[in-house]
Amino acid sequence: MAMASSSKQRTLPAFVFLSCLLVLVQFMGARNLFSMAANVTYSRRALLIDGKPRVLISGSIHYPRSTPEMWPDLIQKSKDGGLDVVETYVFWDLHEPVRNQYDFEGRKDLVRFVKTVAEAGLYVHLRIGPYVCAEWNYGGFPVWLHFIPGIKFRTDNGPFKAEMQRFTAKIVNLMQQENLYASQGGPIILSQIENEYGNIQSAYGQAAKSYISWAASMATSLETGVPWVMCQQADAPDPIINTCNGFYCDQFTPNSANKPKIWTENWSGWFLLFGGRAPYRPVEDLAFAVARFFQRGGTFQNYYMYHGGTNFGHSSGGPFIATSYDYDAPIDEYGIIRQPKWGHLRDLHKAIKLCEEPLLTADPTSPSLGPNLEAHVYKTATGRCAAFLANIGTQSEATVTFNGKTYQLPAWSVSILPDCQNVVFNTAQINSQATTVEALYLTSETQASDKATASSIVSLSDWTFVNEPVGISKSNAFKQKGLQEQINTTSDSSDYLWYSISIDINGNESFLSSTLQSTLHVESLGHVLHVFVNGNHSGSAQGTKITFDKPIFFTQGSNKIDLLSATVGLQNYGAFFDLTGAGITGPVQLRGQSGTLDLSSAEWTYQVGLKGEESGLYGSSVNSSEWVSLPSIPKNQPLIWYKSSFSAPEGNDPIVIDFTGLGKGEAWINGQSIGRYWPTNIAPQNGCNSCSYKGSYNSDKCQKNCGKPSQQLYHLPRSLVQSGSNTLVLFEEMGGNPEQISFAIKQVKSICGHVSESHPAPLVESNLSFKKITMNSTALLKLECPYPNQLISSINFASFGTPSGQCGSFSHGQCRSVRALDVVKQGCLGLKSCSISVSINIFGDPCERVIKSLAVEASCS
C-alpha cells in the first residue's frame, strides 16, 4: 500500500535529494555565518542584515534557568523548531552579587551562552535592561543597589543612572571584547535597554520622560553597531525601536513610520505561583496570534518563553513565584519538546517563511470577505503573491471565496496561502504529532515503577539530621527598639529573619486570663510567618498581608516569643516595586479581655538567617559532626535539616524529585540549590473548567491542576549529579517526612496524531521563484519516535471516522472504519517514523458526507 512511508525503507525522489543537499550547504554556511561583520539596520518593514530585510522568528531562553550542559540541546531544538533568533535577558543580580565583584561562571556564563547560540547558526537578541522583571527576584536588580545613598530606581536620579550605565557598559564591553556583536562578526543583532517602563511610567511623573531620553542616549552612545529597542515604550526616542509585549500584538503600530513592527514578548503561556493553578495556552490560539501579527505587517516575533526552565536557588521573584518556570513553553522545563505545541509552531514558521518575499517588499491589500473575516494580500511587482485569510469570529466556521476558489475557515483561525491559492497551514488545524510525558518513579531494585509501589531511590538507612535552633542562636544577633522591615534588615542574604522578645509574667497582667492565656496579634507584610512561644510552635500564616491572631499560653516568670519571618521571592514588577517591604511591621500585641500589651515599640532581638546556613550544612559542613544519626529520624517537626545520599539513575532522561511528604523548604544536591519546594501549597479546588482556544486568551482562561500541589515535581539537572554517591540536603521549614520523597525520570510515553480530511495537505515541493507550490493529494498523519534508536513498537489506538479525545484518552465515534487498526499497524510498526494518508481510499468510507478524521496513539521502544 502506498499510503505509508518511513525512515526505514523508501525510495527518495530527486527533489528530496536536492533538499538534503541544501540542508548540508546551509549547515556548512552556519559555521561561517558570523565570521564576517554584518551591518544591522532597519526600515519601516523589517530589520536589515547587510541591507537585506528579514522575517525573523525568535524565542526566549534564559541562560541561568538551565545549565550549560543543557544549552546546546535546547538551542538545537529551537533551531529545529524554526527559530532564527534566541532572546535572553541579562541578570544584573547574578553577575554582580556584590558591588564591583562580578561572576560569569557556570549558569552565569553569558559569553558561553551567546557563543553556543552562534555555533548553532542563530542570532541573539540581548536584552540588557538592566531591569528585567521576568518573575525574577527583585526584577533582576541586586539588592545592594537599594542601599546606595540617595538612590531612586528607574527615574531621573543621578545615583541610579550612574549604576545603570556602569553595568550596561560592563555587559556591552564584555560582548565587544569577545566580538559578539554582529558589527564585529558575532550573533547579536539587537539589544534592549529598559523594560516595559511605559506600563508604569505615569507613576514617576515628569522625571520619567527625561529618564527614558537619557537611557536611549546612554545606550546608543555605547556604539554596539546594532539597533536598540525599548519594549512597551510608546515614546521611545529615535533611533530606538519601540516594541510590543502581550498575548496579541497584531494591532500594534510603532511610534514612527520608519520603524519595523517588532513583538518582543509573545507569552506562550504564563508563570506558576505557589498556591496557584497551572496555566497553559492552547497552541491553536498561540499560532493564531503569531499568524495575525505577520498578516498585519509584523516581521520580528519572539516567544516568551520558548524554554522556560527552572528558578534555581532564590532566583524566583514574586512573591510566591514557583520554582518551576515551565511557562507552557514549546520546550518544557526539562528540555523535552512539548507536542503538539512545538511541532504546530514549527509548521507555522515554515509557512510564514514561504511568504517572506511578499511580506518584505509589498504593502497589503485587504479585499472584503464578510463579517469577522479578514484577508491581507501581499503581491510583489514581479507577481509573487501571499495571502492570509482570517476568521476572527469565535463561534462558527466560515466559507469564503477568494481568488475564485472556496475555502473553509474554522473559527478563530488564520489560513496561510504562500501562492495565494494553496492553503499550506491553518492555525486551528494541527497536523503535528502530540505526545504524553510521564514521570517514571524509581526504586533501587527496578529503577522504574508506578508511584503506588515506588520507594525512594535515596538510601533511607543513612538519613541524618540537625535541629535548627528556635530563636536566637548566632553570635551576630543584634537588639533594636521597634519592629524592623525585613529586606532592609537582611539585604536578602537569607529568606529568614528572627524577631525575638522576652516577657516576664507574674499572672496579674490585664492582657491575661486566669489560665495565663492571651491572644497574640501579629501583622506582617509576609511572606510566611511562624510563631513560637517558649520554644513550641504555635501556628503559621502566609500571604502578602498577614494578620495572625491565636490564643497562646504563658507560664509565670520569663517567657519568650520567637517570630520567624520568611520571604518567598522579592517583588519584581510595578511602579516603585523596589520599595515593597516584607516582614513583621506590626503591630505585635498581646490582647486580653481586660487590656492589651503592645510590643511593637519594645526592644527586640534580631537574627538574620539560620544557624545551619551560617555553618554551611548544605555545603562546606555537609560532613560535619553536627549531623545526628539515629535509628529513626524526627519527622513532622518544623525547623530541621535532613541529609541523605542516592545514586543517580542511568541514562540521559531528565531527573525530578517528588517532594510529597514534606512541607516547605529548600533542597541542595551536592551543594547546589535546586530551589525552594512547597508541595503542601495546594491550588484552589475550582477554576479548572474546560478551555476553548477560541476567543481572546488571558492568564486565567486556561488552567489545570486544581486541588493539587501547585508544584509536586522539581527538576534535578543531570549535570548536578555524579556517578556514585550524591548528597541531598533539605531544610524543612514546616515539618514533614523526608522518607516519603521519591525520584523519577521524565519520558515520552506515547506519540499521537489526530488529523482530519479537511486539514491542509503537506507541502511536497515549493519553488516560489517560479510561483509554484505542489501539495500532497491528501492530509497526512505523521508519527515519529522521539528518541534515537527507537522504533514504533505498538499501536495502542487507531480509529478512522469520528474519533474524539486527546492523546492518551482517544475514544471511537459512532462512525468508524474496521480497517483502521490493521492499516496503521502495517504502515507503522517497526519503523522510526511513518506517514498515513487520511483518505477513504485507504480506510474505506464508514459514513458518507461526513468529514472524517484519523486518530492514532502509538508507543516506541
Side-chain angles (χ1 to χ4, degrees), residues 45 53 354-365 377-387 418-420 768-771:
R45 295 188 190 277
L354 290 172
C355 304
E356 185 168 24
E357 182 186 343
L359 284 173
L360 294 173
T361 57
D363 291 320
T365 58
V377 182
Y378 293 82
K379 193 168 186 178
T380 70
T382 60
R384 275 292 321 279
C385 184
D419 59 353
C420 286
L768 293 174
S769 299
F770 295 95
K771 312 178 193 64

Side-chain angles (χ1 to χ4, degrees), residues 384 419 422 763 765-774:
R384 275 292 321 279
D419 59 353
N422 292 287
L763 186 69
E765 183 179 11
S766 64
N767 190 335
L768 293 174
S769 299
F770 295 95
K771 312 178 193 64
K772 180 183 178 182
I773 284 182
T774 303

Side-chain angles (χ1 to χ4, degrees), residues 440-458 647 649 742-744:
L440 295 173
Y441 283 82
L442 305 174
T443 67
S444 55
E445 292 80 17
T446 65
Q447 287 288 297
S449 73
D450 294 330
K451 170 66 174 172
T453 59
S455 61
S456 173
I457 196 172
V458 175
S647 296
S742 49
F743 283 59

Side-chain angles (χ1 to χ4, degrees), residues 618-634:
Y618 55 83
S620 59
S621 297
V622 73
N623 295 316
S624 78
S625 59
E626 292 181 75
W627 292 99
V628 178
S629 178
L630 292 176
S632 178
I633 58 173

Side-chain angles (χ1 to χ4, degrees), residues 22-352:
L22 177 60
V23 169
L24 178 61
V25 171
Q26 289 173 336
F27 171 76
M28 296 302 294
R31 298 173 63 89
N32 300 309
L33 181 61
F34 307 113
S35 60
M36 298 176 61
N39 181 31
V40 183
T41 56
Y42 62 82
S43 69
R44 69 182 180 91
R45 295 188 190 277
L47 288 183
L48 308 177
I49 301 177
D50 285 334
K52 181 182 179 181
R54 295 288 305 274
V55 164
L56 295 170
I57 309 291
S58 175
S60 292
I61 300 175
H62 295 160
Y63 53 98
R65 282 176 159 144
S66 53
T67 64
E69 292 78 10
M70 293 173 67
W71 294 344
D73 181 63
L74 294 174
I75 293 164
Q76 186 59 50
K77 288 173 178 172
S78 302
K79 183 177 183 178
D80 294 342
L83 297 196
D84 307 292
V85 183
V86 170
E87 182 181 276
T88 186
Y89 282 125
V90 178
F91 298 86
W92 189 354
D93 64 323
L94 282 188
H95 297 305
E96 196 177 3
V98 178
R99 195 177 185 189
N100 292 316
Q101 295 181 23
Y102 296 98
D103 187 353
F104 292 95
E105 300 298 319
R107 290 184 296 106
K108 308 167 191 175
D109 193 342
L110 175 60
V111 168
R112 178 177 173 182
F113 179 77
V114 173
K115 288 183 176 180
T116 304
V117 176
E119 288 166 3
L122 299 181
Y123 296 112
V124 172
H125 178 193
L126 194 67
R127 306 176 74 188
I128 300 175
Y131 166 72
V132 299
C133 182
E135 293 72 59
W136 191 269
N137 194 58
Y138 214 47
F141 286 144
V143 175
W144 56 257
L145 199 66
H146 173 74
F147 298 97
I148 292 177
I151 199 165
K152 293 181 179 180
F153 286 14
R154 303 180 76 196
T155 189
D156 194 355
N157 171 266
F160 177 75
K161 291 193 296 184
E163 293 299 317
M164 175 174 167
Q165 181 168 0
R166 182 179 59 80
F167 180 73
T168 303
K170 170 74 177 180
I171 296 301
V172 169
N173 290 338
L174 180 64
M175 299 298 104
Q176 289 174 331
Q177 288 167 11
E178 299 288 338
N179 297 318
L180 293 177
Y181 281 102
S183 56
Q184 303 171 292
I188 303 172
I189 58 171
L190 273 182
S191 284
Q192 179 178 300
I193 196 70
E194 249 300 334
N195 187 50
E196 294 185 329
Y197 189 68
N199 294 352
I200 47 90
Q201 179 171 341
S202 61
Y204 293 86
Q206 280 300 114
K209 199 162 190 68
S210 54
Y211 165 65
I212 283 298
S213 178
W214 167 84
S217 297
M218 182 271 289
T220 54
S221 72
L222 297 174
E223 298 182 349
T224 62
V226 302
W228 287 84
V229 305
M230 286 182 172
C231 63
Q232 297 295 92
Q233 195 66 46
D235 61 350
D238 293 343
I240 306 292
I241 306 169
N242 67 304
T243 67
C244 182
N245 292 357
F247 291 116
Y248 307 94
C249 281
D250 52 287
Q251 303 294 328
F252 169 74
T253 302
N255 65 10
S256 166
N258 299 318
K259 297 177 183 178
K261 184 172 177 174
I262 293 178
W263 193 356
T264 33
E265 290 189 16
N266 177 3
W267 301 324
S268 58
W270 202 243
F271 55 84
L272 177 68
L273 291 168
F274 282 127
R277 310 170 192 88
Y280 65 96
R281 187 178 185 187
V283 69
E284 297 96 327
D285 175 70
L286 181 57
F288 174 80
V290 175
R292 289 284 288 161
F293 178 72
F294 285 98
Q295 175 179 3
R296 298 179 65 89
T299 53
F300 184 112
Q301 188 271 162
N302 176 75
Y303 297 102
Y304 186 100
M305 303 290 297
Y306 200 76
H307 164 73
T310 305
N311 291 317
F312 299 109
H314 295 180
S315 61
S316 60
F320 301 115
I321 301 294
T323 299
S324 171
Y325 200 67
D326 180 85
Y327 222 89
D328 196 39
I331 304 173
D332 76 8
E333 176 180 4
Y334 316 108
I336 300 172
I337 287 173
R338 173 173 276 116
Q339 295 282 36
K341 183 168 274 191
W342 182 91
H344 193 48
L345 295 177
R346 173 203 59 199
D347 296 343
L348 169 63
H349 304 154
K350 291 178 179 177
I352 289 170

Side-chain angles (χ1 to χ4, degrees), residues 787-845:
Y787 302 113
N789 303 318
Q790 278 192 330
L791 300 176
I792 297 172
S793 55
S794 66
I795 305 299
N796 307 322
F797 180 91
S799 183
F800 179 78
T802 56
S804 60
Q806 297 178 336
C807 189
S809 60
F810 286 130
S811 60
H812 296 285
Q814 291 184 343
C815 162
R816 54 184 289 199
S817 167
V818 296
R819 304 184 197 170
L821 185 60
D822 288 340
V823 168
V824 174
K825 282 184 175 180
Q826 182 179 348
C828 295
L829 283 178
L831 305 179
K832 170 72 175 174
S833 64
C834 63
S835 298
I836 307 292
S837 293
V838 183
S839 170
I840 59 175
N841 295 329
I842 304 299
F843 295 97
D845 192 346

Side-chain angles (χ1 to χ4, degrees), residues 332-552:
D332 76 8
E333 176 180 4
Y334 316 108
I336 300 172
I337 287 173
R338 173 173 276 116
Q339 295 282 36
K341 183 168 274 191
W342 182 91
H344 193 48
L345 295 177
R346 173 203 59 199
D347 296 343
L348 169 63
H349 304 154
K350 291 178 179 177
I352 289 170
K353 287 303 183 79
L354 290 172
C355 304
E356 185 168 24
E357 182 186 343
L359 284 173
L360 294 173
T361 57
D363 291 320
T365 58
S366 300
S368 176
L369 297 179
N372 289 326
L373 301 171
E374 292 184 13
H376 287 71
V377 182
Y378 293 82
K379 193 168 186 178
T380 70
T382 60
R384 275 292 321 279
C385 184
F388 294 76
L389 308 181
N391 179 356
I392 60 176
T394 61
Q395 301 300 318
S396 304
E397 181 178 276
T399 302
V400 302
T401 301
F402 173 73
N403 276 356
K405 293 180 65 175
T406 299
Y407 300 89
Q408 299 298 124
L409 291 178
W412 202 252
S413 77
V414 179
S415 285
I416 300 176
L417 295 71
D419 59 353
C420 286
Q421 293 186 46
N422 292 287
V423 175
V424 301
F425 184 87
N426 179 272
T427 59
Q429 296 177 319
I430 300 174
N431 284 341
S432 170
Q433 76 176 18
T435 57
T436 61
V437 177
E438 67 175 354
L440 295 173
Y441 283 82
L442 305 174
T443 67
S444 55
E445 292 80 17
T446 65
Q447 287 288 297
S449 73
D450 294 330
K451 170 66 174 172
T453 59
S455 61
S456 173
I457 196 172
V458 175
S459 174
L460 302 182
S461 60
D462 65 352
W463 280 107
T464 55
F465 70 95
V466 176
N467 286 313
E468 176 66 28
V470 173
I472 307 304
S473 59
K474 294 168 58 178
S475 60
N476 60 356
F478 63 94
K479 297 181 182 294
Q480 188 87 28
K481 280 198 170 185
L483 296 166
Q484 304 300 302
E485 190 277 329
Q486 183 164 349
I487 301 170
N488 284 322
T489 306
T490 66
S491 300
D492 200 36
S493 60
S494 170
D495 280 355
Y496 300 102
L497 177 63
W498 281 105
Y499 298 68
S500 184
I501 194 168
S502 293
I503 305 170
D504 288 327
I505 298 294
N506 60 35
N508 298 321
E509 288 81 1
S510 62
F511 57 86
L512 290 176
S513 70
S514 59
T515 58
L516 302 187
Q517 176 182 308
S518 184
T519 295
L520 176 63
H521 174 84
V522 182
E523 293 185 20
S524 170
L525 297 176
H527 309 137
V528 178
L529 171 67
H530 302 295
V531 176
F532 297 83
V533 178
N534 295 326
N536 298 312
H537 184 233
S538 298
S540 299
Q542 64 195 59
T544 53
K545 190 173 182 180
I546 295 172
T547 300
F548 178 93
D549 285 289
K550 191 168 182 180
I552 59 174

